[in-house]
Amino acid sequence: MIPEEILRKVKLIEIKSRDIVNNIFSGEYHSAFKGSGIEYAETREYVYGDDVRLIDWNVTAKTGKPYIKIFEEEREQSIILMVDLSASGYFGSNESLKVDTMIELSSILSFSAIKNNDKVGLLIFSDKIEKFIPPEKGKSHVLRIIRELIYFNPKSTKTNISLALDYINKIIKKKSIVFLLSDFIDSKYLKDLRYSNKKHDLINVLIRDEYESKIFNLGLSKIHDIENDFDYWLDTGNQLNRKEINKFLTQERNKLILKFKKNNLELIDIIVSSGYIDPLIDFFKKRSLIRK
C-alpha cells in the first residue's frame, strides 16, 4: 500500500510537469528528437508536382493510372531515464535536494515523451542496479515511474555509472534516447560513456548544488560525506581555506565539463538553485537546430 503522502507528491509533480510540458516545452521535444527513419504510410494517385521517384509501379501497372507511395517519419522512439539515486543525490543547501530536481526532470521528460507517442523506461542505480522498468507508453506508466522515484529506497549509498551503462547497453537492443541524470561523483566511467554514446543517443544531465561549486563563510562546520559515511571539520571562516577550496572546486568542475566536450558527449549542466527550465530549453533548441 502506497502511503497517502507519496500519492500527494506524485499528483503535485504530475500537475507541475504537465503544465511545464504543455506551456513551455510544447513542440520543443518533438523538434529535438525526430524519428530515426521513415516508414510506408499509404499509396495514393499521382498529382502534378509529386516526386516521380515515389511512383508505385506495381499499383500503376494494375490500375493504368500513376500512383505514388507516401512515407511518414518513423516517430515512435524509446526514452530511457537513468537516474542516479546514490546518497550524494540527497544533498541540498536550499529547500530542494539534487534528487528532487532529478525526479522533476524525469517527470517532465516522461510526459513530453508520451505526448509524442514515445515509450519511456526507467533505470534506478547506485553502485548496483536498483530497479529497471522496461519502456512503455501511457499516463499510468509515467505515474508509476514517478512513484518509484519518490518511494524507492536504494540498497546502496555509492555510485557506479559504468555498471549502469553496461546494464542498459545489454538490455536495450534498439537504439534509444538515454538521459543519464547524475551528479557524476564517480570515476572511470568515460570509456563507457563514449561506448554508450555510439550505441544510443546519450544525453548526460549534470545535477549539482551551488555549495558543491563554492564554499561560503559558515564558520567552523562539520562536513558529512554521505556516500562514504564519515565526518570531518572544516573552518570555512578562514579566507585562505575558502579560496583554496573554491579554486579546487572550480578546477574540478571545469575539468569535468571539458572532458565531456572533448569527447563529443552532450551535457546539460544544471544548478539546483538556478532551476532547470532554461538549461533544458537551451538544450532542446540547440538539438532542433542541429537536426534541421
Side-chain angles (χ1 to χ4, degrees), residues 224-240:
H224 178 65
D225 184 329
I226 194 167
E227 289 206 7
N228 297 300
D229 194 25
F230 71 87
D231 300 323
Y232 59 94
W233 289 91
L234 178 66
D235 183 10
T236 62
N238 185 300
Q239 188 175 0
L240 184 59

Side-chain angles (χ1 to χ4, degrees), residues 8 14 29 47 88 93 105 142 146-147 149 185-186 194 196 225 237 291:
R8 281 198 300 270
E14 178 195 356
Y29 172 96
V47 295
S88 61
S93 57
L105 270 173
V142 169
I146 298 170
R147 282 198 305 270
L149 286 168
I185 300 177
D186 191 15
R194 288 198 300 257
S196 299
D225 184 329
R291 289 176 174 256

Side-chain angles (χ1 to χ4, degrees), residues 28-257:
E28 301 283 1
Y29 172 96
H30 182 91
S31 298
F33 302 113
K34 293 179 180 178
S36 57
I38 57 172
E39 59 183 2
Y40 170 75
E42 62 176 329
T43 299
R44 66 162 171 79
E45 194 169 345
Y46 174 88
V47 295
Y48 179 76
D50 284 338
D51 189 340
V52 294
R53 292 173 297 180
L54 298 177
I55 290 176
D56 187 331
W57 293 107
N58 289 331
V59 177
T60 297
K62 289 177 182 178
T63 62
K65 295 179 180 180
Y67 276 77
I68 64 167
K69 291 181 179 180
I70 303 298
F71 294 87
E72 291 180 350
E73 179 187 351
E74 187 182 351
R75 175 59 246 176
E76 183 184 300
Q77 301 182 92
S78 288
I79 307 297
I80 307 296
L81 302 171
M82 294 179 62
V83 183
D84 175 5
L85 287 192
S86 58
S88 61
Y90 292 85
F91 172 78
S93 57
N94 295 297
E95 292 182 2
S96 294
L97 307 177
K98 288 188 286 184
V99 70
D100 294 329
T101 296
M102 291 186 201
I103 292 170
E104 287 190 22
L105 270 173
S106 296
S107 178
I108 288 167
L109 292 168
S110 296
F111 278 113
S112 295
I114 63 168
K115 186 176 181 180
N116 285 274
N117 203 36
D118 288 338
K119 297 179 179 180
V120 189
L122 172 68
L123 173 68
I124 297 174
F125 71 95
S126 55
D127 65 342
K128 304 183 187 320
I129 303 303
E130 299 278 359
K131 191 174 188 68
F132 176 69
I133 300 176
E136 289 184 24
K137 296 181 183 180
K139 177 184 171 181
S140 61
H141 180 69
V142 169
L143 293 179
R144 180 194 173 193
I145 285 175
I146 298 170
R147 282 198 305 270
E148 288 290 351
L149 286 168
I150 294 174
Y151 195 45
F152 195 81
N153 185 24
K155 297 181 179 66
S156 178
T157 61
K158 299 181 184 298
T159 312
N160 191 329
I161 293 172
S162 291
L163 176 75
L165 289 168
D166 184 60
Y167 181 85
I168 284 296
N169 291 333
K170 286 177 179 176
I171 201 167
I172 303 296
K173 304 300 182 185
K174 182 182 176 182
K175 183 172 183 176
S176 302
I177 299 165
V178 178
F179 283 91
L180 172 54
L181 290 81
S182 175
D183 53 18
F184 291 90
I185 300 177
D186 191 15
S187 60
K188 299 179 181 178
Y189 53 75
L190 184 59
K191 181 180 176 182
D192 297 282
L193 283 178
R194 288 198 300 257
Y195 176 77
S196 299
N197 193 44
K198 291 177 181 177
K199 186 175 175 64
H200 298 290
D201 186 356
L202 178 65
I203 297 120
N204 303 283
V205 187
L206 171 61
I207 310 291
R208 55 192 178 92
D209 188 274
E210 62 177 335
Y211 272 60
E212 293 174 315
S213 302
K214 184 177 182 180
I215 294 292
F216 296 87
N217 185 356
L218 302 174
L220 187 61
S221 303
K222 187 177 184 180
I223 311 297
H224 178 65
D225 184 329
I226 194 167
E227 289 206 7
N228 297 300
D229 194 25
F230 71 87
D231 300 323
Y232 59 94
W233 289 91
L234 178 66
D235 183 10
T236 62
N238 185 300
Q239 188 175 0
L240 184 59
N241 280 351
R242 288 202 313 276
K243 184 178 179 181
E244 289 302 313
I245 292 170
N246 288 335
K247 180 181 177 182
F248 171 77
L249 292 173
T250 300
Q251 288 174 343
E252 288 300 301
R253 174 183 172 271
N254 290 341
K255 278 197 292 185
L256 177 64
I257 292 173

